[in-house]
Amino acid sequence: GLLNILIGVFVQEADSTRAEQEEEFSHLFDALDLNGNGVLNLDEILKGFQDENIAAKFEALDVRFEMAEELFKILDVDGSNTITKHEFTQGLAKIDGKKNASADVLIEGQKVIRKLDQLQMYITQRLDGAAQVNCQPKLVVGEMHGINPAMM
């Protein structure tokens, strides 16, 4: 009942957001397509960065002018030295998704760091406790490999 309704709302919202994003990227493509031939070349991408509005849209995707050639190579999926509207919109959607994913990676990294800090505190407490009882850990690595520690 309620769960299905909530899932439906989330799916509908995601579809709506994806459609809006594709439309935005489609308009960006049209603004970059200076000669109106339906494909972009590297020169059109480079000239696009000179327009403040276009540069701001790329900046929102964490793409700067210095990255324009690399962006072109990434978006030119078929290696034709031109970018179709489909390659452009799908490629930018992936870049935008990865940008969001990198934030998720940072969050997960922070969680791992917290766990490592907790582990370090635990180990320190255990070692401090062992030192108070005069129970020093004994290293027997050499003995495990058949080496007599007295001969080392």
Side-chain angles (χ1 to χ4, degrees):
L2 181 60
L3 182 60
N4 287 338
I5 293 171
L6 288 174
I7 290 172
V9 169
F10 286 127
V11 169
Q12 184 178 8
E13 182 67 27
D15 287 344
S16 174
T17 302
R18 186 177 24 242
E20 289 171 10
Q21 183 186 52
E22 282 187 25
E23 186 175 334
E24 182 182 332
F25 293 154
S26 179
H27 289 310
L28 180 57
F29 179 92
D30 293 338
L32 288 165
D33 188 13
L34 299 175
N35 61 11
N37 66 350
V39 293
L40 299 177
N41 59 43
L42 178 58
D43 190 48
E44 288 173 312
I45 297 280
L46 293 171
K47 285 181 181 173
F49 275 95
Q50 295 172 2
D51 180 295
E52 285 183 27
N53 293 329
I54 292 173
K57 290 180 182 181
F58 279 122
E59 191 73 30
L61 296 168
D62 291 333
V63 177
R64 296 176 307 282
F65 176 78
E66 303 82 42
M67 304 163 74
E69 286 187 49
E70 190 63 31
L71 173 71
F72 185 83
K73 290 176 189 174
I74 291 168
L75 297 179
D76 182 18
V77 176
D78 63 3
S80 64
N81 287 324
T82 59
I83 300 170
T84 65
K85 186 177 275 195
H86 179 75
E87 287 175 322
F88 186 80
T89 56
Q90 298 302 307
L92 288 186
K94 287 179 184 174
I95 289 170
D96 192 40
K98 286 187 169 113
K99 182 186 80 170
N100 294 335
S102 65
D104 294 340
V105 169
L106 288 174
I107 291 168
E108 289 303 313
Q110 289 172 342
K111 288 179 183 176
V112 169
I113 289 170
R114 277 196 298 274
K115 292 283 184 189
L116 287 172
D117 286 344
Q118 290 171 353
L119 178 62
Q120 180 182 11
M121 285 187 344
Y122 173 78
I123 291 172
T124 302
Q125 289 171 352
R126 297 290 294 191
L127 288 174
D128 287 347
Q132 290 175 358
V133 182
N134 288 333
C135 177
Q136 297 297 323
K138 184 173 145 184
L139 183 62
V140 291
V141 174
E143 292 174 1
M144 292 184 340
H145 295 286
I147 301 171
N148 185 350
M151 299 182 118
M152 291 175 73

